[in-house]
Amino acid sequence: MTHARVVAGLATGVLGVGLLAGLPSAQAAAGTATPAPLDYSITVDPASTGPTIDDSMYGVFYEDINRAADGGLYAELVQNRSFEYSSADNRSYTGLTSWSTSATAGGAGTATTVDDADRLGERNRSYLRLALANPTGATFGVSNAGYNTGVRVEAGKTYDFSVWARTDAAAGTPLTVTLRDGGRTTAYAAPLRIDVRGDAWTKYAGSFVATASTTSGRLGVEAGGTGTLRLDMVSLFPRDTYKGRPNGLRKDLAEKVAALHPGFVRFPGGCLVNTGSMYAYDAANGYPRARSYQWKDTIGPVEQRATNANFWGYNQSYGIGYYEYFQFSEDIGAQPVPVLPALVTGCGQNRATVDDALLQRHIQDALDLIEFANGPVTSEWGAKRAAMGHPAPFGLKRIAIGNEENLPDQYFANFVKFESAIKAAHPDITVISNSGPDDTGSTFDRLWDLNKGHGTAMLDEHYYNSPDWFLQNNKRYDAYDRQGPKVFLGEYASLDNKLRNSLAEAAYMTGLERNADVVKMASYAPLLSNIDYVQWKPDMIWFDNAGSWGSTSYEVQKLFMNNVGDEVVPSSASGSVAQAKPITGAIGLSTWATAAKYDDVTVTGADGTELFKDDFSGDASRWTSLANRGTWSVQDGAYVQSDAAAQDTLVRAGDVTWHDYDLNLKATKTAGVEGFLIGFGVKDSGNYYWWNLGGWNNTQGAVEKAVGGAKQTLLAKPNTIQTGRTYDVSVKVRGGQVELYLDGALWGSFRDDAVTEPFAQVVTRDVARQQLIVKVVNAQDAPARTRIDLGTSRVVGKAEMTVISGDPEAQNTRTAQPVQPVTSTVKGIASTFTRTFEPNSVTFLRVQMK
C-alpha cells in the first residue's frame, strides 16, 4: 500500500484518569464490587481519511533466545547432535552434554568426543569416537536425552533418523538405533538396524513409526563388534514438520506464528547480531566460537554449517539458518527483514572493530545476501539458493544494519558505508538504521540527529518499559516529523506477561496505528521461550517439548494483527482527566556488582525542614533491607556494603509518603565493576526510582524507574565512577521534576509526571469488507460507558464484537489459559449508540457499512 499524510485536525484517542489508573485496585484484587462506570465518548469522522496502513504494519521478531531455535522452532529432537557443545558456549558444557553411554549386557567400550583430522568437515570439527570392545551379541554406545524432559514422540507418527558414520572394522559395524525410556524398560518404536561399512564418512538413514507416546524418551545409538566407530550429525526429525519441509520447523510453534498473519519477520537478532567476534569461522582466525551472527555460516547442507556460542549462554547449531528464515517468511506470507552486523558491538560490549578490510568483507556479505535472496539462478548466490531448493527469488525489500549500538558515531559511520554500497547496487532496497537500546537518552538523540540529517529512510527503535510508561506515552509519535525517517518499532514489550501488561501494550498500539504514516512496522519481542530455558521475560509464545501456549500478549497481538484495516479513520475521545501525582517515597541505597560506602545522609523538605539525618555514628537501625542481598554494616562511621559480587542490594530509610525533598549524601566505591545506586521515591522492592552511577560495566549513568519489579530508563548518559573517590550526591525532588547533582554540578534532570491514560481508541477502515473497525482499550478496573458517534447513518444494526478481558493479574500458563478472545454478534449499532466496555478489556467492533 502507499501511505498518506495525517489529515489536519486528526485527534488523539486517549484519556487519562490519574497516574496509577492502569494498575489493579485493592478493590479488584480483593474481589469486591466493581467501581461505578466512567463516562466517555468517541466521535468518528468517516468522511475523512487518515494515514494508509501498510501491509507490513505488524510483524514478529525472531531471535534465538530462550532456546527459540534448537529445542524450539527448529524441529530437531536430538540435542548436541554434532557433538560441538563446548565450555566456550557454556561453562557447564562438554562435547557429551545431553549424551550418556549405554550398553546391553556385556557391552563394553569408551565414548570420546574428538577434534582431529578425521573430522567430518573443517566447519564441523568435533565428532564422537566409540572404541568398541563388545563380546558377540552385545552392544555399546550412547543415548540422547533431547530437550526438556526428553525426546517427545507421538504414537502413529513417523520420525526420520540419520547419522554420518565411518568404521575401521573390515567386516563393518552393526548399528542398532532405538527409541526407548531412560531405564531401557519401554520401547516406543521397533529398532532400526544399520550396517556401517567403510572408513569414509557416509550418511545413513532410516525411519521409526512410534508405537506409543512419550515426552521423556531417549534415542539410543549402539554398536556391536569391536574396532573404532566414528559418528557425527546424529539426527531425529518428526516427518510432520510445518508444511512437511525436511530440516523443517516444529509444527505447533510455526502454526502459532502463522496464525498472527504477520506482515514481516525480523531475524536473526537482537544481541546475536552485534556481539562477539566479527571475524570468520576459519583457521586463519582460530575458529572463534563467540561470533556475531554471519549469514554465510548458516546456509548449505547442515553438516557443513558452522557452530557458534550463542550470546544467551548456549550453543547454536545453525540448523535453522538464513534459507530457513526466508522460507518460513514466505510460507506465512511475511516480508523477510534480516539484520546484519555493523562491526560495532552492543548489548553491554560496546566495542568498535576497526578493520577496513573486514568492514568491506561484511559490506560485500550484505550485497551477497541480497543476491542470495533475490538474484537469478545464473548468479553465484542465486544459484546457491536454487541448489537448496528455491529457484524463485524470495523478494527481499528491506534490510537492517546493526542492533542497539551504544557507540552512535562509530556505528553511524559504518552504517553510511553499508547503505551507500547497497543503494548503489540495489536502489529498491530500504536500508534500516537504528536508534540504540532505549526510547530516550544521549545515544537515542544522537542517532536520530545523525540519521535525520543524513536522510535515512527508516530507524529501528527498541524499548521495554513498565505498563505505566505505555499508558503514558500513547501520543509519542504524534509529534514526530512527518518529513523525517520512518519508524520501525523492532522491539517493544511491557515488562511482564500478565493481562495488565497486554492491556498497556494494546493501548499503546492504538497510538501506533493512529500514526501509521510515521510508524511503518512494529513487532513485540521476544517471540518464543522454552519454559525450561528462560533468559528473558516477557515472551509472546511459551512452550516445552510437550506443547505450546500463547501469552496474554499473544492473544492481544493476534487480535490487532488480524484486524489491522487499510486506513485510519480520524476519531477523537473525551472524558474525565485527572491531574498527575507527585513522585512520592522514601530514600534508598544500593550497589550492583560493587562494594561501596555511604555517609552523611540528609533529607530536607522543600521548606528546609530536616526530615532525616544519619551520619552512622551509631547503628543502622533506621535502614531496612528490601532486596535481602549484600552485606551491610556500619564501619568507621560509614554505612558499608562489602560484597562486591552482590547485585541489587537495596536498603530503604525514611517515610514512603515523602514528596518534595532534597536528598544529600556522600558515596564512595571501594571495589567491583560498577558504581553505586541512589534511591528516591522508594516504596518497596519493586517500586522505586534510583540513580545508577557507573552502571553497565562502569560506562553509563542512568535514572531507572521500577514499577511492579519492571525497570525502565528515564535518563541515560555516559558516566564512570572512580574507585576510592568520594562523591557528593544530591537529588532534588519537586512534584514530578527531579534534578540530579554530582559534586555540586547539575548532572541531569527529568520530569515524570505524565498522566496515565487507560482509555484509548482508534478506528480503521477495512476497504474490501466495507467495515469500520472500532478498537477500544479500557485498562482500568471501572467499566467505560461510552457514547459512540459514527458520523453516518449508513451502518447495519449489528456488529461482530471480539473482547479480551479478565483479571489484570491473570496470565496464560502451561496448564491454564484463562485469557482468550470471545467473539459474538451484538445488536443496537446505529449512527450513535452507547456501549459499556468491560473493565480491563480490549474490544474490537467490526461495524458493517451499508
Side-chain angles (χ1 to χ4, degrees), residues 695-733:
W696 293 268
N697 292 317
N698 208 14
T699 63
Q700 183 171 288
V703 175
E704 297 175 284
K705 177 184 179 180
V707 178
K711 291 197 293 289
Q712 67 192 62
T713 301
L714 303 181
L715 170 67
K717 60 191 292 187
N719 169 252
T720 299
I721 294 298
Q722 299 174 18
T723 302
R725 175 181 169 183
T726 297
Y727 293 84
D728 290 317
V729 180
S730 299
V731 180
K732 182 178 181 179
V733 180

CSV table of all heavy atoms in Angstrom, one decimal, residues 695-733:
chain,number,residue,atom,x,y,z
A,695,GLY,N,27.0,2.4,35.9
A,695,GLY,CA,26.3,1.2,35.5
A,695,GLY,C,26.9,0.7,34.2
A,695,GLY,O,27.8,1.2,33.6
A,696,TRP,N,26.3,-0.5,33.8
A,696,TRP,CA,26.7,-1.1,32.5
A,696,TRP,C,28.2,-1.2,32.4
A,696,TRP,O,28.9,-0.6,31.5
A,696,TRP,CB,26.1,-0.3,31.4
A,696,TRP,CG,24.6,-0.5,31.3
A,696,TRP,CD1,23.9,-1.4,30.7
A,696,TRP,CD2,23.7,0.3,32.0
A,696,TRP,NE1,22.5,-1.2,30.9
A,696,TRP,CE2,22.4,-0.2,31.8
A,696,TRP,CE3,23.8,1.4,32.9
A,696,TRP,CZ2,21.2,0.4,32.3
A,696,TRP,CZ3,22.6,2.0,33.4
A,696,TRP,CH2,21.3,1.4,33.1
A,697,ASN,N,28.8,-1.9,33.4
A,697,ASN,CA,30.3,-2.1,33.4
A,697,ASN,C,31.0,-0.8,33.5
A,697,ASN,O,32.1,-0.6,32.9
A,697,ASN,CB,30.8,-2.9,32.3
A,697,ASN,CG,30.3,-4.4,32.3
A,697,ASN,OD1,30.3,-5.0,33.4
A,697,ASN,ND2,29.8,-4.9,31.2
A,698,ASN,N,30.4,0.1,34.3
A,698,ASN,CA,31.1,1.4,34.6
A,698,ASN,C,31.2,2.3,33.3
A,698,ASN,O,32.2,3.0,33.1
A,698,ASN,CB,32.4,1.3,35.3
A,698,ASN,CG,32.7,2.5,36.2
A,698,ASN,OD1,31.9,3.3,36.5
A,698,ASN,ND2,34.0,2.5,36.6
A,699,THR,N,30.2,2.2,32.5
A,699,THR,CA,30.3,3.0,31.2
A,699,THR,C,29.2,4.1,31.1
A,699,THR,O,29.2,5.0,30.3
A,699,THR,CB,30.2,2.1,30.0
A,699,THR,OG1,28.9,1.5,30.0
A,699,THR,CG2,31.3,1.1,30.0
A,700,GLN,N,28.1,3.9,32.0
A,700,GLN,CA,26.9,4.8,31.8
A,700,GLN,C,26.2,5.0,33.1
A,700,GLN,O,26.2,4.2,34.0
A,700,GLN,CB,26.0,4.0,30.8
A,700,GLN,CG,24.7,4.8,30.5
A,700,GLN,CD,23.9,4.1,29.4
A,700,GLN,OE1,24.3,4.1,28.2
A,700,GLN,NE2,22.8,3.5,29.7
A,701,GLY,N,25.7,6.2,33.2
A,701,GLY,CA,24.8,6.6,34.3
A,701,GLY,C,23.4,6.7,33.8
A,701,GLY,O,23.2,7.0,32.6
A,702,ALA,N,22.4,6.4,34.7
A,702,ALA,CA,21.0,6.4,34.2
A,702,ALA,C,20.1,6.6,35.4
A,702,ALA,O,20.5,6.2,36.6
A,702,ALA,CB,20.7,5.1,33.5
A,703,VAL,N,18.9,7.1,35.2
A,703,VAL,CA,17.9,7.0,36.2
A,703,VAL,C,16.9,6.0,35.7
A,703,VAL,O,16.4,6.0,34.5
A,703,VAL,CB,17.1,8.4,36.3
A,703,VAL,CG1,15.9,8.2,37.2
A,703,VAL,CG2,18.1,9.4,36.8
A,704,GLU,N,16.6,5.0,36.6
A,704,GLU,CA,15.7,3.9,36.3
A,704,GLU,C,14.5,4.0,37.2
A,704,GLU,O,14.7,4.3,38.4
A,704,GLU,CB,16.4,2.6,36.4
A,704,GLU,CG,17.5,2.4,35.4
A,704,GLU,CD,18.3,1.1,35.6
A,704,GLU,OE1,19.1,1.0,36.5
A,704,GLU,OE2,18.1,0.2,34.8
A,705,LYS,N,13.4,3.7,36.7
A,705,LYS,CA,12.1,3.7,37.4
A,705,LYS,C,11.6,2.2,37.4
A,705,LYS,O,11.4,1.6,36.4
A,705,LYS,CB,11.1,4.6,36.8
A,705,LYS,CG,9.7,4.6,37.5
A,705,LYS,CD,8.7,5.4,36.8
A,705,LYS,CE,7.4,5.4,37.4
A,705,LYS,NZ,6.4,6.3,36.7
A,706,ALA,N,11.4,1.7,38.6
A,706,ALA,CA,10.8,0.4,38.8
A,706,ALA,C,9.3,0.4,39.2
A,706,ALA,O,9.0,1.2,40.1
A,706,ALA,CB,11.6,-0.4,39.8
A,707,VAL,N,8.5,-0.3,38.4
A,707,VAL,CA,7.1,-0.4,38.7
A,707,VAL,C,6.7,-1.9,38.7
A,707,VAL,O,6.9,-2.5,37.6
A,707,VAL,CB,6.2,0.4,37.7
A,707,VAL,CG1,4.7,0.2,38.0
A,707,VAL,CG2,6.6,1.9,37.7
A,708,GLY,N,6.3,-2.4,39.8
A,708,GLY,CA,6.0,-3.8,39.8
A,708,GLY,C,7.1,-4.7,39.5
A,708,GLY,O,7.0,-5.8,39.0
A,709,GLY,N,8.4,-4.2,39.8
A,709,GLY,CA,9.6,-5.0,39.6
A,709,GLY,C,10.2,-4.9,38.2
A,709,GLY,O,11.3,-5.3,38.0
A,710,ALA,N,9.5,-4.2,37.3
A,710,ALA,CA,10.0,-4.0,36.0
A,710,ALA,C,10.6,-2.6,35.9
A,710,ALA,O,9.9,-1.6,36.3
A,710,ALA,CB,8.9,-4.1,35.0
A,711,LYS,N,11.8,-2.5,35.4
A,711,LYS,CA,12.5,-1.2,35.3
A,711,LYS,C,12.5,-0.6,33.9
A,711,LYS,O,12.5,-1.3,32.9
A,711,LYS,CB,14.0,-1.4,35.7
A,711,LYS,CG,14.1,-1.7,37.2
A,711,LYS,CD,15.5,-1.4,37.7
A,711,LYS,CE,16.6,-2.3,37.1
A,711,LYS,NZ,16.4,-3.7,37.6
A,712,GLN,N,12.4,0.7,33.8
A,712,GLN,CA,12.5,1.4,32.6
A,712,GLN,C,13.5,2.6,32.8
A,712,GLN,O,13.6,3.1,33.9
A,712,GLN,CB,11.2,2.0,32.1
A,712,GLN,CG,10.6,3.1,33.0
A,712,GLN,CD,9.1,3.4,32.7
A,712,GLN,OE1,8.3,2.5,32.8
A,712,GLN,NE2,8.9,4.6,32.3
A,713,THR,N,14.2,3.0,31.8
A,713,THR,CA,15.2,4.1,31.8
A,713,THR,C,14.5,5.4,31.5
A,713,THR,O,13.9,5.6,30.5
A,713,THR,CB,16.3,3.8,30.9
A,713,THR,OG1,16.9,2.5,31.2
A,713,THR,CG2,17.4,4.9,31.0
A,714,LEU,N,14.7,6.4,32.4
A,714,LEU,CA,14.1,7.7,32.2
A,714,LEU,C,15.2,8.7,31.7
A,714,LEU,O,14.8,9.7,31.0
A,714,LEU,CB,13.5,8.3,33.5
A,714,LEU,CG,12.5,7.4,34.2
A,714,LEU,CD1,12.0,8.1,35.4
A,714,LEU,CD2,11.3,7.1,33.2
A,715,LEU,N,16.4,8.4,32.0
A,715,LEU,CA,17.5,9.3,31.6
A,715,LEU,C,18.8,8.5,31.6
A,715,LEU,O,19.0,7.7,32.4
A,715,LEU,CB,17.6,10.5,32.6
A,715,LEU,CG,18.9,11.4,32.6
A,715,LEU,CD1,18.8,12.3,31.3
A,715,LEU,CD2,18.9,12.3,33.8
A,716,ALA,N,19.6,8.7,30.6
A,716,ALA,CA,20.9,8.0,30.5
A,716,ALA,C,21.9,8.8,29.8
A,716,ALA,O,21.6,9.6,28.9
A,716,ALA,CB,20.7,6.7,29.7
A,717,LYS,N,23.2,8.7,30.2
A,717,LYS,CA,24.3,9.4,29.6
A,717,LYS,C,25.6,8.7,30.0
A,717,LYS,O,25.7,8.0,31.0
A,717,LYS,CB,24.3,10.9,30.0
A,717,LYS,CG,24.5,11.1,31.5
A,717,LYS,CD,24.2,12.5,31.9
A,717,LYS,CE,25.3,13.5,31.5
A,717,LYS,NZ,25.1,14.8,32.0
A,718,PRO,N,26.7,8.9,29.3
A,718,PRO,CA,28.0,8.2,29.6
A,718,PRO,C,28.4,8.7,31.0
A,718,PRO,O,28.3,9.8,31.4
A,718,PRO,CB,28.9,8.7,28.6
A,718,PRO,CG,28.0,9.1,27.4
A,718,PRO,CD,26.8,9.6,28.0
A,719,ASN,N,29.0,7.7,31.8
A,719,ASN,CA,29.4,8.0,33.1
A,719,ASN,C,30.4,7.0,33.7
A,719,ASN,O,30.1,5.8,33.4
A,719,ASN,CB,28.2,8.1,34.0
A,719,ASN,CG,28.5,8.2,35.5
A,719,ASN,OD1,28.3,7.2,36.2
A,719,ASN,ND2,29.1,9.3,36.0
A,720,THR,N,31.4,7.4,34.4
A,720,THR,CA,32.3,6.4,35.0
A,720,THR,C,32.6,6.9,36.4
A,720,THR,O,32.7,8.1,36.7
A,720,THR,CB,33.7,6.4,34.2
A,720,THR,OG1,33.4,6.0,32.9
A,720,THR,CG2,34.6,5.5,34.9
A,721,ILE,N,32.6,5.9,37.4
A,721,ILE,CA,32.9,6.2,38.8
A,721,ILE,C,34.2,5.6,39.1
A,721,ILE,O,34.6,4.5,38.9
A,721,ILE,CB,31.8,5.6,39.7
A,721,ILE,CG1,30.4,6.3,39.4
A,721,ILE,CG2,32.2,5.6,41.1
A,721,ILE,CD1,30.4,7.7,39.7
A,722,GLN,N,35.1,6.5,39.8
A,722,GLN,CA,36.4,6.1,40.2
A,722,GLN,C,36.4,5.4,41.5
A,722,GLN,O,35.7,5.8,42.5
A,722,GLN,CB,37.3,7.3,40.3
A,722,GLN,CG,37.5,8.0,39.0
A,722,GLN,CD,38.3,9.3,39.1
A,722,GLN,OE1,39.0,9.5,40.1
A,722,GLN,NE2,38.2,10.2,38.2
A,723,THR,N,37.1,4.3,41.6
A,723,THR,CA,37.3,3.6,42.9
A,723,THR,C,38.1,4.4,43.9
A,723,THR,O,39.1,5.0,43.5
A,723,THR,CB,38.0,2.2,42.7
A,723,THR,OG1,37.2,1.5,41.8
A,723,THR,CG2,38.1,1.5,44.0
A,724,GLY,N,37.6,4.5,45.1
A,724,GLY,CA,38.3,5.2,46.2
A,724,GLY,C,38.0,6.7,46.3
A,724,GLY,O,38.4,7.4,47.2
A,725,ARG,N,37.3,7.3,45.3
A,725,ARG,CA,37.0,8.7,45.3
A,725,ARG,C,35.6,8.9,46.0
A,725,ARG,O,34.6,8.1,45.7
A,725,ARG,CB,36.9,9.2,43.9
A,725,ARG,CG,36.5,10.7,43.8
A,725,ARG,CD,36.5,11.2,42.4
A,725,ARG,NE,35.8,12.5,42.2
A,725,ARG,CZ,35.6,13.1,41.1
A,725,ARG,NH1,36.0,12.5,40.0
A,725,ARG,NH2,34.9,14.2,41.1
A,726,THR,N,35.5,9.9,46.8
A,726,THR,CA,34.2,10.2,47.5
A,726,THR,C,33.5,11.2,46.7
A,726,THR,O,34.0,12.3,46.4
A,726,THR,CB,34.4,10.7,48.9
A,726,THR,OG1,35.0,9.6,49.7
A,726,THR,CG2,33.1,11.0,49.6
A,727,TYR,N,32.2,11.0,46.4
A,727,TYR,CA,31.4,11.9,45.6
A,727,TYR,C,30.3,12.5,46.5
A,727,TYR,O,29.7,11.8,47.3
A,727,TYR,CB,30.7,11.1,44.4
A,727,TYR,CG,31.7,10.6,43.4
A,727,TYR,CD1,32.4,9.4,43.5
A,727,TYR,CD2,31.9,11.3,42.2
A,727,TYR,CE1,33.2,8.9,42.6
A,727,TYR,CE2,32.8,10.9,41.2
A,727,TYR,CZ,33.4,9.6,41.4
A,727,TYR,OH,34.3,9.2,40.4
A,728,ASP,N,30.0,13.7,46.2
A,728,ASP,CA,28.9,14.4,46.8
A,728,ASP,C,27.7,14.2,45.9
A,728,ASP,O,27.7,14.7,44.7
A,728,ASP,CB,29.1,15.9,47.1
A,728,ASP,CG,30.2,16.1,48.2
A,728,ASP,OD1,30.1,15.4,49.2
A,728,ASP,OD2,31.0,17.0,48.0
A,729,VAL,N,26.6,13.6,46.4
A,729,VAL,CA,25.5,13.3,45.6
A,729,VAL,C,24.3,14.0,46.1
A,729,VAL,O,24.0,13.9,47.3
A,729,VAL,CB,25.2,11.7,45.6
A,729,VAL,CG1,24.0,11.4,44.7
A,729,VAL,CG2,26.5,11.0,45.1
A,730,SER,N,23.5,14.6,45.2
A,730,SER,CA,22.3,15.3,45.7
A,730,SER,C,21.2,15.0,44.7
A,730,SER,O,21.4,15.1,43.4
A,730,SER,CB,22.5,16.9,45.7
A,730,SER,OG,23.5,17.2,46.6
A,731,VAL,N,20.0,14.8,45.2
A,731,VAL,CA,18.8,14.6,44.4
A,731,VAL,C,17.7,15.6,44.9
A,731,VAL,O,17.4,15.6,46.1
A,731,VAL,CB,18.3,13.1,44.5
A,731,VAL,CG1,17.0,12.9,43.7
A,731,VAL,CG2,19.4,12.1,44.1
A,732,LYS,N,17.2,16.4,44.0
A,732,LYS,CA,16.2,17.4,44.3
A,732,LYS,C,14.9,17.0,43.7
A,732,LYS,O,14.8,16.9,42.4
A,732,LYS,CB,16.6,18.7,43.9
A,732,LYS,CG,15.6,19.9,44.2
A,732,LYS,CD,16.2,21.2,43.7
A,732,LYS,CE,15.3,22.4,44.1
A,732,LYS,NZ,15.8,23.7,43.6
A,733,VAL,N,13.9,16.6,44.5
A,733,VAL,CA,12.6,16.2,44.0
A,733,VAL,C,11.5,17.3,44.3
A,733,VAL,O,11.3,17.7,45.4
A,733,VAL,CB,12.1,14.9,44.7
A,733,VAL,CG1,10.8,14.4,44.2
A,733,VAL,CG2,13.2,13.8,44.6
